[in-house]
Amino acid sequence: MSNFFARVGSADAYASAINNIGGRQSRLTQLQGNLTAGKRVLKPSDDPTAAAQAERAITRSAQVTIQQRALSLQKDNMSQAETVLGQASDAIQSFRELLVQAGNGANTASDLGTITSQLTTLRNQLLTYANSTDANGQALFGGLGSTSTPFIEPNATAGVVFAGLGGQTNGTDLTIPNTIDGQAAFANVTPTTGAFAISAQSGNTGTATASAGTILLPTSPNVLAGNSYQINFTSGTNYTVTNLSTSPPTTSGSLTMSGSTVTFGGAGNADQQMTLTGTPAAGDSFTVKPKASIFDVMDSAIAGIKHASSGTSAQASVSGSLASLDNAYVAVQAARGLAGDYLNQADVIDSNQQTKAVQLEGDRSRAEDLDMLQGISDFQNQTTGYQAALKSYAQIQSMSLFDFLK
């Protein structure tokens, strides 16, 4: 049997060696890039499946980041609202303390004037709290929607009116509301009788005062429910009653007081009564509403004390206002508690989102990150192979038949 040897040309040997060196150099460059970036997958073609998994994790992680930013803003707003409601509660308590002080029989007219000034300052301060805005100028107590000023005073006799849209926005699994329902917090005070609330207009010049506690329960609930009235005195004993809930408002003819009793509402304006303390003057008016705002309560208390000549005469106004003011305080505290609940909910959402972010980062890392120990080992092995290829090529290249023919 004869041996067969295939002849390999020098050019083929050189080309094979060059290709081997080039391949090892390319692989070494790739490994160096992986080590530098710390990633196993630098482009989709490296591992299409892993690249797709990493891209999905990155997209979801970006969504979580956006949601966390939005939640942070919502949490800041709710924290600010909770703080403002705490300040409002303090203002109401201070107002109550001054009311009790005004009922002291030892007070003179001068003392009552000083107290009235302090009460007015607290009332205006509370109005500022109710119109608080966030860093973007949006009302914190606008409810379902409002302008930047949800509580306005359209004219000198209308008092404070809620210009927003009452109602509380709902959160989701990932969000909390930006605002608190200002109507429920400041403009939905239940009178002490559970029927109507009375507010004396600030421009009254007579000495008459009235409290919600003097109103009788309605005899015709279906007629009276939800209606608001304005009682305007044309003299010390005569008055008209305007139903503000009809469109346009309807005014009854002149009626005469029976002693200190004023009747209004229903057919013939005789379904409800309120009892006045003191004497009204021509031009005085009282507003009667199913629900009062805290500002109605304060304005009525201030008007009663303003027209009192002594602490003894102010006691009737004070006693009628304290119970309604306490109801208003409860409403503000309830709103503050709601804000606290939303802040607790925000903490839970934030914790869940952070956990999700960690999981998504783990998914991305497993899909595209490089095991550094394995990467370094592969790089060293490839470096050794590349150096061996260079040395072997150098030896082959130096070989020549003429070296053996000498």
Side-chain angles (χ1 to χ4, degrees):
M1 174 182 286
S2 61
N3 294 328
F4 176 77
F5 298 95
R7 182 177 178 180
V8 178
S10 298
D12 291 338
Y14 293 156
S16 177
I18 290 295
N19 289 336
N20 183 29
I21 292 173
R24 289 182 177 276
Q25 187 178 34
S26 176
R27 177 58 178 162
L28 189 62
T29 301
Q30 181 182 5
L31 290 175
Q32 185 180 23
N34 292 139
L35 283 173
T36 302
K39 295 182 180 294
R40 181 178 62 85
V41 180
L42 294 176
K43 54 185 181 296
S45 60
D46 292 340
D47 188 337
T49 300
Q53 292 174 345
E55 185 62 29
R56 283 196 297 269
I58 292 172
T59 300
R60 292 172 183 170
S61 181
Q63 292 174 347
V64 169
T65 300
I66 293 172
Q67 291 164 354
Q68 285 182 302
R69 288 175 182 172
L71 180 65
S72 178
L73 293 176
Q74 295 159 1
K75 189 175 180 180
D76 288 344
N77 282 7
M78 196 56 59
S79 179
Q80 183 181 351
E82 193 274 337
T83 299
V84 171
L85 287 169
Q87 295 171 334
S89 298
D90 293 340
I92 296 172
Q93 287 290 71
S94 297
F95 192 97
R96 191 184 194 284
E97 291 172 2
L98 284 173
L99 273 186
V100 174
Q101 181 180 339
N104 188 336
N107 286 327
T108 63
S110 178
D111 295 332
L112 293 179
T114 301
I115 292 175
T116 299
S117 177
Q118 293 174 316
L119 291 174
T120 302
T121 299
L122 286 172
R123 180 262 193 200
N124 293 336
Q125 183 179 344
L126 186 66
L127 181 59
T128 301
Y129 290 149
N131 285 325
S132 296
T133 60
D134 62 14
N136 296 317
Q138 299 298 313
L140 292 175
F141 304 104
L144 297 177
S146 74
T147 61
S148 59
T149 308
F151 292 91
I152 61 175
E153 296 180 270
N155 54 65
T157 60
V160 176
V161 177
F162 180 68
L165 182 61
Q168 180 61 56
T169 56
N170 294 322
T172 67
D173 292 340
L174 300 175
T175 64
I176 63 172
N178 280 310
T179 61
I180 291 291
D181 182 9
Q183 186 177 49
F186 298 103
N188 202 21
V189 180
T190 302
T192 53
T193 61
F196 281 79
I198 301 174
S199 299
Q201 298 302 322
S202 58
N204 289 358
T205 58
T207 60
T209 60
S211 68
T214 62
I215 300 179
L216 301 178
L217 292 177
T219 58
S220 302
N222 293 332
V223 176
L224 299 175
N227 287 359
S228 297
Y229 302 91
Q230 186 168 1
I231 299 172
N232 300 300
F233 283 89
T234 57
S235 69
T237 56
N238 295 331
Y239 61 95
T240 60
V241 177
T242 301
N243 189 335
L244 302 176
S245 299
T246 58
S247 182
T250 56
T251 302
S252 304
S254 181
L255 303 172
T256 302
M257 290 175 58
S258 175
S260 60
T261 300
V262 175
T263 58
F264 63 94
N269 298 293
D271 279 342
Q272 290 206 74
Q273 296 179 347
M274 71 176 184
T275 302
L276 297 181
T277 300
T279 303
D284 287 358
S285 62
F286 294 83
T287 301
V288 185
K289 300 178 182 179
K291 292 287 185 180
S293 75
I294 188 172
F295 306 103
D296 292 332
V297 175
M298 288 181 164
D299 288 342
S300 181
I302 291 171
I305 296 173
K306 182 178 180 180
H307 297 112
S309 58
S310 65
T312 301
S313 60
Q315 288 177 355
S317 177
V318 169
S319 62
S321 300
L322 284 177
S324 293
L325 191 67
D326 288 342
N327 288 341
Y329 179 81
V330 169
V332 172
Q333 285 294 90
R336 187 181 184 186
L338 181 63
D341 290 340
Y342 283 133
L343 288 174
N344 290 336
Q345 182 181 344
D347 289 338
V348 173
I349 294 174
D350 186 54
S351 177
N352 292 339
Q353 290 289 75
Q354 289 181 10
T355 300
K356 184 183 293 186
V358 172
Q359 293 174 341
L360 290 172
E361 176 60 21
D363 293 342
R364 183 209 60 77
S365 178
R366 285 188 292 273
E368 68 175 5
D369 282 353
L370 177 68
D371 182 341
M372 295 303 291
L373 293 178
Q374 183 64 43
I376 292 172
S377 177
D378 291 343
F379 182 78
Q380 290 175 340
N381 290 338
Q382 192 67 27
T383 299
T384 301
Y386 179 63
Q387 291 173 345
L390 288 175
K391 290 180 180 180
S392 62
Y393 174 72
Q395 292 177 353
I396 292 174
Q397 189 179 32
S398 64
M399 292 181 180
S400 172
L401 180 61
F402 294 103
D403 292 335
F404 296 95
L405 295 176
K406 289 180 181 181

